[in-house]
Amino acid sequence: MDADKQKLKTRLEKIWQQPDFTSFFQKYAKRPPLNIKKGNIIFYQGDQPDRIYFVKEGFVKLYRMSEEGKDTVIYLYGPGSILGVRALTSQDERLRHNAEAITDSEIITMSRKEYLDLVLEHPEYLVDLLHVFIERLNYTERKLEGFILTDATARVANFLADCARRFRIQKNKKVIIPLPLTHQRIAEFVGSFRETATVALNRLQKEKILKVERGKITILDLKKLNEQALIER
């Protein structure tokens, strides 16, 4: 068995293991990180899909703008995330979404050709790409279930539980979400009005599940938060 097949075999034997995109981009990226200020756009709906993006630091929202000028938030990316994979798999000539830095961010880019040349030499990295699609699929399924089966409080709980799972900082028994989340921003991610999100957050605080202080959310009881989400995780 040649070396490439052995690497792929080794990766497949641990297919459940989460990808380490940080190490991948540190090793193979040819360009220094781009410093993107909060509120700036990384790519626009309609741009050509010619590269992928790695979030080294910061948080990015993916959203789509309607003809009426209203944006629908699709997904949240944080440190260690990769976005723009549509450039690798789609024949579309235009991107379908906008990507905006919602905090100051460091973004590393890699062209489509550079990435495909790498996976040609290192096919084990295709498994990492598979994880990206599965993660997005699972998130979409949970979000759809939330809209169909649950109320606003459960949708807010589900969003915060997802943030905790992917980005949390653990301090003793408490979980800190390292992203400033206003009531309006949470409403955007769960598809509700700001007032509705506020009611849901107040309810979760009253039950001592979490604490909200100047946009900083601390989860006091992650088990109860997952129970409030009402979705099997």
Side-chain angles (χ1 to χ4, degrees):
M1 182 180 293
D2 61 36
D4 289 344
K5 287 185 178 179
Q6 181 58 50
K7 289 179 181 177
L8 179 58
K9 180 177 182 294
T10 300
R11 184 66 179 96
L12 288 172
E13 288 172 349
K14 297 182 179 179
I15 194 171
W16 62 87
Q17 194 172 68
Q18 290 296 309
D20 182 3
F21 287 118
T22 299
S23 295
F24 175 85
F25 278 86
Q26 284 177 343
K27 185 174 182 179
Y28 294 113
K30 298 178 180 179
R31 304 172 186 82
L34 301 172
N35 293 308
I36 310 294
K37 291 294 184 182
K38 174 184 175 181
N40 285 356
I41 301 297
I42 298 165
F43 57 77
Y44 286 94
Q45 183 177 330
D47 285 352
Q48 290 186 334
D50 61 351
R51 63 191 61 248
I52 58 174
Y53 303 81
F54 171 71
V55 184
K56 183 179 179 182
E57 296 289 344
F59 291 87
V60 175
K61 73 171 182 179
L62 192 71
Y63 68 98
R64 187 183 181 98
M65 188 69 72
S66 70
E67 293 181 359
E68 294 77 24
K70 183 178 180 180
D71 61 326
T72 301
V73 179
I74 307 298
Y75 198 63
L76 173 66
Y77 296 93
S81 302
I82 183 173
L83 63 155
V85 292
R86 191 175 188 79
L88 305 175
T89 61
S90 175
Q91 290 183 319
D92 290 356
E93 296 182 356
R94 295 288 182 269
L95 291 170
R96 295 185 179 181
H97 306 102
N98 304 291
E100 176 187 331
I102 58 177
T103 64
D104 290 349
S105 303
E106 285 188 39
I107 307 293
I108 300 176
T109 66
M110 182 179 289
S111 73
R112 181 179 189 274
K113 183 180 184 305
E114 287 169 344
Y115 185 84
L116 293 179
D117 286 347
L118 279 169
V119 297
L120 186 63
E121 296 180 13
H122 305 281
E124 68 273 15
Y125 289 127
L126 286 173
V127 179
D128 294 348
L129 190 62
L130 178 64
H131 275 270
V132 175
F133 289 107
I134 292 173
E135 178 75 30
R136 282 288 300 276
L137 177 61
N138 288 341
Y139 176 83
T140 302
E141 287 179 348
R142 290 195 300 269
K143 193 169 183 178
L144 180 60
E145 288 174 5
F147 281 122
I148 295 173
L149 302 175
T150 65
D151 61 12
T153 300
R155 293 202 302 273
V156 169
N158 188 55
F159 169 69
L160 295 177
D162 183 73
C163 289
R165 181 181 61 83
R166 293 195 289 146
F167 309 125
R168 74 192 195 184
I169 296 174
Q170 189 81 40
K171 284 195 174 181
N172 299 321
K173 294 183 178 180
K174 298 178 181 179
V175 173
I176 297 173
I177 298 178
L179 166 68
L181 288 169
T182 63
H183 292 197
Q184 178 59 43
R185 177 151 289 154
I186 292 171
E188 291 172 358
F189 276 103
V190 302
S192 72
F193 295 109
R194 182 187 61 80
E195 294 80 5
T196 306
T198 297
V199 170
L201 288 166
N202 288 340
R203 186 176 299 166
L204 293 171
Q205 287 191 91
K206 186 177 180 180
E207 296 182 19
K208 301 188 184 306
I209 293 174
L210 53 82
K211 179 174 69 173
V212 182
E213 192 174 27
R214 296 182 181 179
K216 177 182 175 182
I217 294 181
T218 302
I219 299 171
L220 307 176
D221 193 324
L222 185 57
K223 181 180 178 181
K224 285 186 178 180
L225 183 69
N226 283 324
E227 291 172 354
Q228 284 287 333
L230 299 177
I231 295 174
E232 184 178 350
R233 307 193 70 82

